[in-house]
Amino acid sequence: MDLDDSPQEAGFRRNVRAWLRDHLTEERRLQLNAREGRAWIDFIRHWQRDLLAAGLSVRSWPRAYGGQGAPATEDLIVFEELAQADAPLDAFRVGIRIIGPMLMKLARDDQKAAFLPRIADGSDLWSQGFSEPGAGSDLAALSTRAVHRAGKYVINGQKTWNTLGHLADFCLVLARTNPEVPKHKGLTAFAVPMSSPGITVRPLQQMNGRRDFNEIFFDDVELPENAVVGIVDGGWKVAVTMLDFEHRGLAVLGFGCRRLYGRLLELARTTRIGSSNRAALGELDIRRRLAALGGQARIAVLNNHRFLAMIPEGGVPGPEAAIQKLHSTELNKAMHALALEIASLADLADSEARERLSAWEEDYLTSFGMTIAGGTSQIQRNIIAERALGLPR
């Protein structure tokens, strides 16, 4: 396949770069990368609306829902340029890259009209309520129940590892509605307003010191019947569709790996070993490892383009997305591990060296979460084996 931009794509890429130069100032980047609290979400909402107004967000979505009806390749160009510009964390990625595409496939028309434009412009932040303390990798074993009673559904149970649920407006919750059938056939998906009575959210402190993840408790949370997404007892299809889109969304991290590789090279150039004047980049072992990671970073970018070309127009990503997700998240972790190793070679009696090491340490710890989100690396290997390669379970 031809990986060069067409004349139209090249022009679009130039426009994206020019817009980012004008709108992503260093001051704004710092505000947008704060990553915690309501004030941060307010900054991100404005950023999301600016992206949408410029035609740079949900570009491939239908115009009726805020998009431009553009080819999916233009979405990739936007993701690539955002990564190169070190743009802020996409807090709305769950809604835009996972829940929104699923709603287009499986939701009722009234739900699409109500939810999709507000996802696109940042009015509503969505989270995902799948994992439970006793049902992580085995999602079908979940125990959260939704009982139909007097024209409503009443939900009781607990979810965990919920990203940004403490700041979210909605949660897409998977609950058991029929305990009498095989476990994956009795699940239903619900669009749950996080302001509903009976919901308690408790942020979880991660090993990097942040509180992006949460546990959510549902105590007699009442929902109308029209909160069902898809069909009753058809939640497994919703979950699988969302996970395929999630793998694809996380795979976009491959563009971030290219940007990260540039930072890694600069770190190796500028880090002096101990109190000497020897640059870490001059060490043969480090040069070899950097060269290997550079090749893998290029592969991550090429995989994004290659697997996008394999998705039918308007279709759902296939098991190949698991290859992307596995490769890019493990590569991200490996690059941060080398960065931490290089930063630790400096003379740590110097305060700037200590601060640099601390920043890389936080990013390294964060990288572990990316190998778990959307299914662990072990689960991705199972998906690749069974669904892509046709190996026995």
Side-chain angles (χ1 to χ4, degrees):
M1 62 181 293
D2 184 3
L3 292 173
D4 292 330
D5 289 341
S6 69
Q8 179 180 343
E9 290 168 344
F12 176 62
R13 189 184 294 277
R14 286 193 296 272
N15 291 339
V16 175
R17 287 179 180 174
W19 188 90
L20 286 170
R21 280 196 302 270
D22 291 341
H23 291 81
L24 187 58
T25 63
E26 187 58 31
E27 180 184 6
R28 197 176 197 191
R29 183 184 283 108
L30 290 174
Q31 290 173 329
L32 293 168
N33 279 328
R35 292 176 59 180
E36 289 202 17
R38 293 283 175 188
W40 169 62
I41 286 295
D42 288 341
F43 282 126
I44 292 287
R45 281 191 209 278
H46 288 300
W47 173 247
Q48 177 62 27
R49 287 168 185 162
D50 288 349
L51 287 171
L52 186 69
L56 303 184
S57 181
V58 300
R59 190 166 177 80
S60 64
W61 283 23
R63 291 183 181 276
Y65 306 133
Q68 302 291 318
T73 51
E74 294 190 6
D75 281 339
L76 276 192
I77 289 172
V78 173
F79 296 149
E80 193 168 9
E81 294 304 319
L82 287 172
Q84 281 296 100
D86 198 21
L89 175 70
D90 183 5
F92 293 88
R93 67 190 181 279
V94 172
I96 289 174
R97 301 186 196 173
I98 304 171
I99 293 175
M102 178 279 295
L103 291 173
M104 289 185 215
K105 297 293 178 188
L106 302 177
R108 302 187 311 272
D109 288 343
D110 64 303
Q111 290 175 323
K112 295 176 188 177
F115 295 140
L116 290 170
R118 292 181 61 83
I119 290 174
D121 71 6
S123 294
D124 290 335
L125 177 67
W126 282 70
S127 63
Q128 182 176 318
F130 278 15
S131 295
E132 299 182 3
S137 298
D138 184 12
L139 181 60
L142 64 82
S143 60
T144 294
R145 292 288 302 275
V147 177
H148 191 254
R149 184 187 305 155
K152 296 181 180 180
Y153 283 94
V154 181
I155 297 183
N156 284 278
Q158 179 185 357
K159 298 292 179 179
T160 194
W161 307 126
N162 170 277
T163 303
L164 298 181
H166 60 306
L167 301 172
D169 302 291
F170 283 89
C171 185
L172 199 292
V173 175
L174 202 62
R176 187 165 304 284
T177 44
N178 189 346
E180 305 301 324
V181 297
K183 60 184 183 180
H184 67 284
K185 291 186 176 182
L187 305 176
T188 301
F190 297 90
V192 181
M194 291 299 289
S195 58
S196 302
I199 293 179
T200 302
V201 182
R202 296 179 185 168
L204 297 166
Q205 182 163 343
Q206 300 145 229
M207 62 182 178
N208 63 2
R210 295 194 178 276
R211 295 177 181 269
D212 298 335
F213 299 149
N214 305 269
E215 52 185 354
I216 303 178
F217 298 87
F218 301 87
D219 296 302
D220 290 332
V221 176
E222 294 187 351
L223 298 173
E225 292 176 328
N226 63 8
V228 171
V229 176
I231 61 174
V232 175
D233 295 344
W236 188 249
K237 183 176 182 179
V238 172
V240 170
T241 301
M242 283 177 58
L243 287 170
D244 282 338
F245 280 118
E246 184 170 14
H247 299 158
R248 175 76 189 128
L250 286 167
V252 173
L253 183 64
F255 292 137
C257 285
R258 186 169 70 175
R259 169 69 177 175
L260 175 59
Y261 184 66
R263 292 176 57 209
L264 187 55
L265 283 177
E266 183 63 19
L267 176 69
R269 289 191 188 100
T270 57
T271 297
R272 295 294 179 262
I273 298 176
S275 58
S276 74
N277 199 36
R278 288 173 22 241
L281 187 60
E283 297 297 299
L284 182 59
D285 178 60
I286 288 177
R287 292 175 71 88
R288 285 173 174 166
R289 292 161 68 187
L290 282 169
L293 289 173
Q296 291 299 314
R298 179 60 177 158
I299 289 170
V301 171
L302 296 178
N303 273 344
N304 273 317
H305 292 284
R306 181 162 69 102
F307 290 130
L308 176 66
M310 298 172 67
I311 303 172
E313 186 67 30
V316 177
E320 298 82 10
I323 300 174
Q324 289 176 278
K325 193 271 183 185
L326 174 65
H327 180 258
S328 60
T329 55
E330 289 291 341
L331 175 60
N332 178 61
K333 186 172 73 171
M335 293 172 78
H336 278 103
L338 180 56
L340 188 63
E341 188 174 330
I342 292 172
S344 67
L345 295 174
D347 180 4
L348 298 181
D350 179 73
S351 60
E352 288 187 10
R354 290 198 305 274
E355 288 178 9
R356 185 166 58 244
L357 175 63
S358 178
W360 280 109
E361 184 177 45
E362 180 183 331
D363 288 346
Y364 170 65
L365 294 174
T366 301
S367 71
F368 281 82
M370 302 306 291
T371 67
I372 299 170
T376 65
S377 291
Q378 292 79 6
I379 291 297
Q380 302 313 309
R381 292 184 176 97
N382 280 345
I383 292 171
I384 294 165
E386 295 170 16
R387 294 176 55 193
L389 301 178
L391 299 176
R393 290 176 62 84

